[in-house]
Amino acid sequence: MAFDYDVIVIGSGPGGYATALRTADFGLHTAVIEMRDEVGGTCLNRGCIPTKAYVTASHTLEYAKNASSWGLDISVNTIDMQSLKAAKDKTVAGVVKGLSQHMKSRKIDIIHGYGSLVKPHEVCVDDGEMHHTFTAQHVVLATGSYSTTLPGFDFFNGSADEVRQAVADGQAPILSSDEALDIDVIPENVVIVGAGTIALEFANIWNTLGTHVTVLLRKDVPLSHGDNHISAMMMRTMKRAGIHFETRSQLKAVENGKVTYTVHDMKSDEHKKIEKNVPADFVLVAIGRSPQTTASWFASSGLNLSDHGFVITDKFGRTNIDNVWALGDITQGRMLAHQAFEQALTISESIAGIDTKPVDTFMVPQVVFATVESLSVGYTAQEAEKNGFAQIEETVVPMLSNPRVAMLKSNGTTVIVSAYDAQSGQRIVIGIHMVGPQVSELSGTAREIIENKIPLHDAAGALFAHPTLSESLGEALLKADGRPLNVR
Ligand SMILES: Cc1cc2nc3c(=O)[nH]c(=O)nc-3n(C[C@H](O)[C@H](O)[C@H](O)COP(=O)(O)OP(=O)(O)OC[C@H]3O[C@@H](n4cnc5c(N)ncnc54)[C@H](O)[C@@H]3O)c2cc1C
Ligand SMILES: NC(=O)c1ccc[n+]([C@@H]2O[C@H](COP(=O)([O-])OP(=O)(O)OC[C@H]3O[C@@H](n4cnc5c(N)ncnc54)[C@H](O)[C@@H]3O)[C@@H](O)[C@H]2O)c1
C-alpha cells in the first residue's frame, strides 16, 4: 500500500521535532502536525527556553549586585520588567524561528491543525475549517503535557491581557507556569504552591527581581524525591537568599489579594494546624504536569494507557499498536526535553531499521536551574538500598575547597553513591547528586560514568582542568575512592 508519508509525527515539541529531524535525515518523507501557530512545543515556547532566559537575566543581576566585592562600582538602578519580558520573548522567537527553518531545510512538511490517530496508518487533521486525512507507514505521538490543577483552585485561564488586568485589580489569580511567563510587571508578593523544579526556578527568578516569595510545600524539603543532602542544601541556599518556605503547609483560600494556608505545627503534641495569611499579587500552582492524552481518540484508537494516562511503550518507544510510537511527556519516565531527545533518536533509528539502544528513563539527568543549580543522576542511597545493591557507600563532599566556587561567593555539595558490582567484581558509581554553581554542565559526564558502569577507581581518574568548577566532581570521586586530594 502506498502511504502519503513514511512518518507522521503529531506534536512539534522536543519529542516530535527531534524525531522528525532524524527521520528526515534518514531520507524518510516526514510530516509534523502541530495545532498551535508555532513549532517547538512547551519547551521552546513556554518551558525550558523562556525560563532559562529569565534565569540568565537573574544571574546577570546577581553578578552586578556582587560586583562591589571585586572593587567594581556597578549599580542596578531599575529593572524594567517590560523590557526583560520583551528580551525573553525575543529569545524564544529566535529559537522558534531557527527550529522552523531547520525543519524546512530538512524538507519536513509542517501541517498546522489538530491531529488525531483514526486508525493505524491514518491521521486526521482538523485545521479549524476542514478535516484532512493523511496516511503514513509510521505514526509517532508526541502531544506533550499540561499543568496539573490543584483541586478546588482552577487556573485563571485567561489571555495575557486578562491576567495582567486581574493582577492589577488585586484579584490574586491562580496561574500556571504558562500564564506566569506572560507577567510583565515585577510582582510585590507571590505565593507558589509546589516544591518541584518549576516552583524552585520561578521562586529564584522572582526573588532575584525583588519579589517576596512564599513557597508552600507539603513535605519538609523541596525536591523531596531526590537526595536528602541536595534538597536540604537547595532549601538552605534559597532561604538565605530571602525565599520563605512554609513546610507541611496547604493552600486553603485565595480572596481579595490574600492567601490563606494552613501549616502543620510539628511542635505541638496534637500536630495542630495553624492558619496563616500572606498578601499575593498572584499564586503560581506548580504541582506537576499531566500527559496530553485525555482526548477521546487516545482511548478509541486502542492505545494502552497507564492509570495516570501515560501511553505505555517499550524501551524503544513502541506502543501496543504496530507502527505507532510515542515519546516525551506522554510516556512514563521524566518529563524532560533531553529525555524526549534520547527517545527521539531511538524511535527514528528503529523506524529506519538501524540497530539502536533502548532508553533507560531512570538514568536521565535531572537539573534545577537557580542561583545554585542541582543535578541528579542515578540512584540515591535510599533508592539503592530499596533496589538491593550491595555494599552501598555514600560520600558527601562540600565544595568549600574549590577556588572557583569561592570566587563566586557560592557553595555546594557533591554526593557520590557507589556499590559493589558482582558482575565486574569492582565498586561502581551508581549515583551522582550535586548542588552548586553551574553543576548542570556536568550532567553528561555524570550520566556517562553511571550508565557505562565505569569502576569507581577509573572514574576517579578523570582529569578535570584546574581551576574549574567541574573539579568538584573530580575531588568527590577521588574521595569516594579513598584518595582525597584537596578535601579532607
Ligand atoms: C516552565 C517549564 C520549564 C521547563 N524547563 C525545562 C528545562 O529546563 N529542561 C528540560 O529538559 N525540560 C524542561 N521542561 C519540560 C519540557 O518542556 C518538556 O519535557 C518537553 O517540552 C516535552 O516535550 P514533548 O515533545 O513531549 O511535548 P511538548 O513540548 O509539550 O510538545 C507537544 C506539542 O504537541 C502539540 N499538540 C498536542 N496535541 C496535539 C494534537 N492533537 N495535534 C497537533 N498538535 C498537538 C502541542 O501544541 C505542543 O506543541 C520545562 C517545562 C515547563 C512547563
Ligand atoms: N530544569 C528542568 O529540567 C525543568 C524545569 C521546569 C520543569 N521541568 C519539568 O516539568 C515538569 C513539571 O514541573 P513541576 O515542578 O510542576 O513538577 P514536579 O513533579 O517537579 O514537582 C511537583 C511538586 O508539587 C508537589 N505537589 C504535588 N501535588 C501537590 C498538591 N496537591 N499540593 C501541594 N503540592 C503538591 C510535589 O510534592 C512536588 O514538590 C517536571 O516533570 C519537570 O521535570 C523541568
Side-chain angles (χ1 to χ4, degrees):
M1 177 182 171
F3 295 107
D4 299 325
Y5 290 97
D6 296 315
V7 181
I8 289 181
V9 184
I10 305 184
S12 73
Y17 78 71
T19 305
L21 287 172
R22 209 63 199 113
T23 54
D25 218 17
F26 288 129
L28 300 172
H29 189 206
T30 302
V32 172
I33 319 291
E34 172 54 57
M35 65 182 182
R36 293 195 185 235
D37 292 342
E38 65 295 322
V39 292
T42 306
C43 180
L44 269 60
N45 296 285
R46 298 167 297 282
C48 328
I49 301 302
T51 51
K52 268 80 248 180
Y54 280 152
V55 168
T56 307
S58 69
H59 281 329
T60 309
L61 189 55
E62 277 167 351
Y63 283 139
K65 282 181 184 166
N66 291 329
S68 62
S69 67
W70 296 102
L72 304 171
D73 182 13
I74 296 174
S75 56
V76 179
N77 300 322
T78 49
I79 302 169
D80 176 353
M81 192 60 202
Q82 286 184 2
S83 302
L84 185 45
K85 180 179 172 291
K88 179 266 291 178
D89 290 341
K90 193 174 164 197
T91 306
V92 168
V95 178
V96 169
K97 187 174 171 202
L99 172 64
S100 183
Q101 286 168 345
H102 191 34
M103 291 173 80
K104 281 179 193 148
S105 74
R106 294 227 178 148
K107 311 224 172 331
I108 296 165
D109 285 351
I110 301 169
I111 302 167
H112 286 282
Y114 181 86
S116 46
L117 180 70
V118 181
K119 52 186 177 189
H121 305 294
E122 198 174 307
V123 171
C124 171
V125 180
D126 175 0
D127 67 9
E129 286 174 8
M130 283 178 69
H131 287 81
H132 310 265
T133 300
F134 298 98
T135 58
Q137 173 82 44
H138 295 272
V139 177
V140 181
L141 308 175
T143 52
S145 61
Y146 60 92
S147 303
T148 306
T149 307
L150 182 65
F153 296 93
D154 286 346
F155 288 119
F156 181 74
N157 258 337
S159 67
D161 283 342
E162 287 164 341
V163 169
R164 194 178 302 118
Q165 198 54 51
V167 172
D169 292 348
Q171 289 177 32
I174 310 272
L175 305 184
S176 66
S177 57
D178 292 0
E179 294 165 310
L181 282 167
D182 279 333
I183 298 287
D184 62 0
V185 289
I186 299 176
E188 212 169 305
N189 301 288
V190 168
V191 170
I192 302 179
V193 181
T197 337
I198 293 184
L200 295 191
E201 292 190 356
F202 274 91
N204 177 68
I205 292 165
W206 284 319
N207 181 60
T208 313
L209 295 176
T211 304
H212 294 113
V213 180
T214 304
V215 180
L216 304 185
L217 53 157
R218 289 189 301 187
K219 311 258 172 76
D220 290 319
V221 283
L223 307 171
S224 56
H225 295 302
D227 178 273
N228 302 337
H229 305 86
I230 301 305
S231 313
M233 181 144 194
M234 201 73 185
M235 181 153 116
R236 246 192 341 265
T237 314
M238 295 182 94
K239 268 183 169 176
R240 219 174 287 140
I243 296 168
H244 183 62
F245 287 88
E246 283 284 12
T247 56
R248 297 190 175 258
S249 64
Q250 201 181 352
L251 183 66
K252 206 170 162 214
V254 184
E255 266 167 3
N256 305 325
K258 200 174 73 182
V259 173
T260 308
Y261 58 93
T262 54
V263 183
H264 240 94
D265 180 11
M266 299 304 286
K267 285 182 206 128
S268 83
D269 288 345
E270 304 92 39
H271 286 194
K272 271 196 314 224
K273 280 187 178 172
I274 305 167
E275 205 167 282
K276 294 189 180 181
N277 295 303
V278 279
D281 297 26
F282 56 86
V283 177
L284 168 68
V285 169
I287 59 165
R289 292 177 63 85
S290 310
Q292 193 93 252
T293 57
T294 47
S296 58
W297 60 265
F298 275 92
S300 63
S301 60
L303 281 165
N304 272 352
L305 301 179
S306 76
D307 290 348
H308 291 100
F310 292 99
V311 180
I312 296 172
T313 69
D314 67 7
K315 289 188 174 213
F316 292 88
R318 290 188 191 91
T319 69
N320 60 309
I321 304 177
D322 278 350
N323 294 338
V324 177
W325 310 73
L327 78 165
D329 285 6
I330 55 167
T331 57
Q332 288 162 314
R334 321 269 190 214
M335 285 184 166
L336 293 167
H338 45 281
Q339 173 179 302
F341 292 148
E342 188 161 53
Q343 291 173 310
L345 293 179
T346 292
I347 289 178
S348 40
E349 285 165 8
S350 300
I351 288 175
I354 295 169
D355 216 9
T356 186
K357 72 172 190 139
V359 177
D360 181 355
T361 55
F362 183 74
M363 285 300 161
V364 171
Q366 299 171 85
V367 168
V368 177
F369 297 88
T371 303
V372 290
E373 298 178 341
S374 75
L375 163 68
S376 189
V377 193
Y379 295 89
T380 61
Q382 291 77 10
E383 284 168 342
E385 212 151 290
K386 274 192 208 140
N387 282 276
F389 281 91
Q391 299 173 33
I392 302 157
E393 272 180 27
E394 190 185 48
T395 311
V396 182
V397 185
M399 291 185 186
L400 289 168
S401 64
N402 183 301
R404 296 301 297 280
V405 174
M407 284 177 216
L408 289 170
K409 318 274 182 281
S410 190
N411 202 345
T413 297
T414 304
V415 179
I416 306 289
V417 184
S418 65
Y420 176 75
D421 176 39
Q423 213 179 353
S424 63
Q426 307 210 53
R427 176 163 287 279
I428 56 167
V429 182
I430 58 169
I432 296 179
H433 312 279
M434 302 181 79
V435 59
Q438 297 170 38
V439 293
S440 62
E441 298 295 340
L442 287 163
S443 56
T445 312
R447 216 291 281 267
E448 285 304 292
I449 291 172
I450 297 168
E451 205 188 25
N452 293 317
K453 295 191 169 183
I454 297 176
L456 173 59
H457 190 71
D458 296 340
L463 192 58
F464 295 91
H466 180 74
T468 54
L469 294 168
S470 61
E471 279 179 291
S472 295
L473 177 57
E475 286 287 354
L477 288 165
L478 277 171
K479 167 118 191 219
D481 195 37
R483 298 182 280 157
L485 192 61
N486 292 301
V487 294
R488 282 196 207 135

